Amino acid sequence: MATLAPYEKRHKVTVLGSGNWGSTIAKLIAENTAEHPDLFERDVQMWVFEEEVTYDGSSHKLTDIINTRHENVKYLPNIKLPNNVIANPSVQDAAKDSTVLIFNLPHQFINNLCNQLKGHILPYARGVSCIKGVNVTASDISLFSESIGARLGIYCGALSGANIATEVAKGLFSETTVAYDPPPMDSSRTPTPRGPSPHASHTDLTSLTALTEKKTSSGGKMKLRALPPDYPPLDHTTLHTLFHRPYFHVHVVSDVTAVSLSGALKNVVALAAGFVSGLGWGDNAKAAIMRVGLLEMVKFGHAFFPNSGIRTETFTEESAGVADLITSCSSGRNFRCAKMAAEEKKKLEEEGSEKKPRSVDEIADEVLNGQVLQGLGTAREVNTFLKSRGREAEFPLMTAVYKIIQGEMAMEDIPEMIQMQ
C-alpha cells in the first residue's frame, strides 16, 4: 500500500460512459485508485445512462445491478467490477468535484453531454478522451479531445490503442497509449505540505485563480484555470499511475494529435483491408493495404495539423498507431463488415446471380444491432474535407474506400488506385 504524500487533496476520478469500453476503463482505474490513496480518492464514479434490464427474471435499473452485483450485465457481462466503481445515473452528480474526467461514450453524444456538464464541473478539472475519431466537416477538422476542452474550458488529452474491451476486461495482456500534453502549470510543481502554513496570510494565491494559455493543435490558444497546488500534479507520471496495470501497459506521450487521428483513420484503412480479404486476395494484399494506409495516416496528420507537434513516430511506434491498425485490420468491426460485403459480392458473381449484394452499410445495420460503423462515417467525412481542398488524389486509398462504399468504384480496382504509393 502506498504511503501518504504531502498533498492536502487527492484526485477524484469520474468515468463518463458505461458501455463495454467505459466499464472496462472504470474497472482498471478503480483497481489503481484503491492501490494509490496518496494520489486518488478510492471511489470512481461511473456515469450510466439509466435503463431497465432483466436480471434473474425480473426488471431492475442498470445502476442498481452494477452497485449491488458489481457487474454491468448488459454491456460487460460476466466481468466482476471492483466495489469502488460507483454507478451514477446523474451525469452532473457523477462529475461533481472531480478533477479527472474520463470521456468514454459514442461520439454522437458528446455535444449533449458537454452541454449538461457545462457550469457543473471544477474549472480546473482535466480530461482524457477515450473516443476514437475526429470532428470533420467540409471546412474544418478538429480532435474530439479539443472539442471537449473548448466546450468545457478544460484541457483534455486522449487514450487510444489496440484495445478490444472484453480482452482487457478479462485481464489479458495489451498495451495502450495515453496522449497528454500537460499545461505547464500542472506539472512539476512543488508539493504543498499538509496542514496550515505558518505564513498563510502571505500565501500567493495566484496559482489557484490565474488563467493560463495552452496551445491547440490548430495553432490557436485556449485559456485554462490552473490546478490548485494542494492536489498532486497531473503529469505523465500521475496519468501512468492512473491507467497502467500489469495486464494493461501504458505509454504516455504528448502527441495528442497523432493518437487521436490514428484512432479515426485506421477505421478507413480497415475497410480496405476487409475488401481485399473478402475477395480472397490473401495476406500479401492486406499487408500492402496496411502499409499504404499507414503512410496516408501520417501524411494526413502532417498536412492538416502542421503546428501541433505531431510526430511520425507516434504512428509507427505506439499502440495507438501501428498496433491498433494491425488489430483493426485483423478482427475489428470495420474489417469484418467490409470482408462480409466482399465475400457476398464474390459469391454472387461466381454463381452468376443477378441478386444485388448487400452494401457495407446494410451489413453493419444487421450485424451490429443498429450501432454505427465508425469507418463509414469517417471515410465520408474525410472525403468531403479532402474534396473541398482539392486533395483527394494525394490520398488514393482513403479516396478509394469512399468511392467503393458510395458505389462509384469496384473493390477490384483498389490496386490500380494506389499503385503510385
Side-chain angles (χ1 to χ4, degrees):
M1 182 69 67
T3 58
L4 292 178
Y7 296 105
E8 294 181 1
K9 297 183 178 181
R10 295 163 297 164
H11 293 292
K12 176 184 175 183
V13 184
T14 294
V15 177
L16 298 162
S18 58
N20 62 348
W21 188 221
S23 297
T24 298
I25 287 292
K27 173 183 180 290
L28 63 90
I29 285 177
E31 292 169 353
N32 283 327
T33 59
E35 292 180 8
H36 298 279
D38 53 325
L39 299 175
F40 310 107
E41 293 186 8
R42 183 177 185 276
D43 287 349
V44 174
Q45 291 282 318
M46 180 174 72
W47 171 63
V48 177
F49 182 79
E50 191 68 282
E51 53 189 308
E52 294 288 325
V53 297
T54 300
Y55 186 79
D56 282 346
S58 59
S59 180
H60 302 268
K61 291 182 179 179
L62 182 57
T63 52
D64 289 342
I65 293 296
I66 294 173
N67 288 332
T68 58
R69 302 289 183 177
H70 305 296
E71 179 186 350
N72 188 334
V73 295
K74 182 168 184 179
Y75 297 108
L76 195 66
N78 304 314
I79 297 294
K80 186 76 171 180
L81 298 177
N83 60 12
N84 58 322
V85 172
I86 311 300
N88 193 329
S90 169
V91 65
Q92 294 177 358
D93 186 61
K96 183 180 179 181
D97 297 329
S98 290
T99 48
V100 182
L101 303 172
I102 311 299
F103 296 85
N104 202 325
L105 68 164
H107 67 84
Q108 61 265 35
F109 302 124
I110 279 295
N111 290 343
N112 184 49
L113 177 76
C114 289
N115 289 338
Q116 294 181 65
L117 288 174
K118 195 170 184 179
H120 297 279
I121 63 172
L122 293 175
Y124 47 81
R126 299 293 182 251
V128 176
S129 169
C130 300
I131 305 162
K132 292 186 177 182
V134 289
N135 275 328
V136 186
T137 66
S139 59
D140 191 28
I141 183 168
S142 61
L143 312 179
F144 277 128
S145 57
E146 290 189 350
S147 298
I148 293 169
R151 285 179 172 272
L152 298 178
I154 64 174
Y155 174 74
C156 187
L159 180 150
S160 187
N163 307 138
I164 296 174
T166 53
E167 294 182 6
V168 178
K170 291 176 182 177
L172 303 179
F173 171 67
S174 64
E175 298 178 314
T176 201
T177 307
V178 173
Y180 194 85
D181 189 13
M185 65 284 198
D186 282 4
S187 59
S188 303
R189 294 183 286 100
T190 302
T192 299
R194 291 180 175 275
S197 167
H199 304 291
S201 61
H202 301 290
T203 301
D204 182 2
L205 299 179
T206 57
S207 63
L208 299 181
T209 59
L211 289 171
T212 303
E213 291 185 334
K214 181 77 171 69
K215 188 177 179 181
T216 66
S217 64
S218 60
K221 293 181 179 180
M222 65 181 297
K223 291 185 177 180
L224 298 173
R225 186 76 63 181
L227 182 73
D230 45 1
Y231 286 98
L234 274 175
D235 52 17
H236 281 194
T237 300
T238 303
L239 267 294
H240 184 272
T241 302
L242 181 63
F243 289 103
H244 184 89
R245 298 297 297 161
Y247 59 87
F248 190 66
H249 287 193
V250 173
H251 188 211
V252 187
V253 301
S254 298
D255 191 357
V256 179
T257 303
V259 168
S260 299
L261 282 177
S262 294
L265 299 179
K266 55 93 178 180
N267 289 324
V268 181
V269 182
L271 289 172
F275 293 144
V276 300
S277 293
L279 291 174
W281 290 359
D283 291 336
N284 292 339
K286 187 168 72 172
I289 292 296
M290 293 168 64
R291 182 193 72 83
V292 174
L294 183 60
L295 289 176
E296 290 195 12
M297 289 164 58
V298 173
K299 185 176 182 179
F300 191 96
H302 285 288
F304 301 114
F305 292 87
N307 301 314
S308 67
I310 193 168
R311 301 175 69 248
T312 298
E313 291 83 358
T314 306
F315 292 96
T316 58
E317 298 176 6
E318 293 297 329
S319 178
V322 64
D324 198 11
L325 179 65
I326 292 170
T327 297
S328 298
C329 291
S330 302
S331 60
R333 293 176 179 175
N334 295 278
F335 170 79
R336 288 187 283 110
C337 289
K339 183 180 180 182
M340 289 174 64
E343 288 174 337
E344 183 173 305
K345 176 180 180 292
K346 181 182 178 183
K347 181 180 179 181
L348 290 174
E349 289 176 350
E350 290 175 345
E351 294 174 349
S353 174
E354 295 182 0
K355 181 181 177 181
K356 183 180 178 181
R358 292 175 297 170
S359 67
V360 181
D361 293 84
E362 292 169 333
I363 289 175
D365 287 341
E366 293 181 22
V367 303
L368 299 181
N369 296 316
Q371 297 182 59
V372 176
L373 199 64
Q374 290 182 324
L376 295 174
T378 302
R380 291 176 174 125
E381 292 168 354
V382 167
N383 184 263
T384 299
F385 178 76
L386 293 174
K387 186 179 292 183
S388 70
R389 283 162 170 70
R391 303 186 68 168
E392 286 179 287
E394 298 178 41
F395 299 89
L397 183 62
M398 294 185 194
T399 301
V401 170
Y402 168 77
K403 289 185 176 181
I404 291 169
I405 64 176
Q406 294 299 108
E408 300 173 6
M409 173 181 155
M411 303 172 187
E412 292 84 353
D413 292 335
I414 289 178
E416 181 180 355
M417 189 78 170
I418 66 173
Q419 64 181 340
M420 296 303 294
Q421 294 293 296

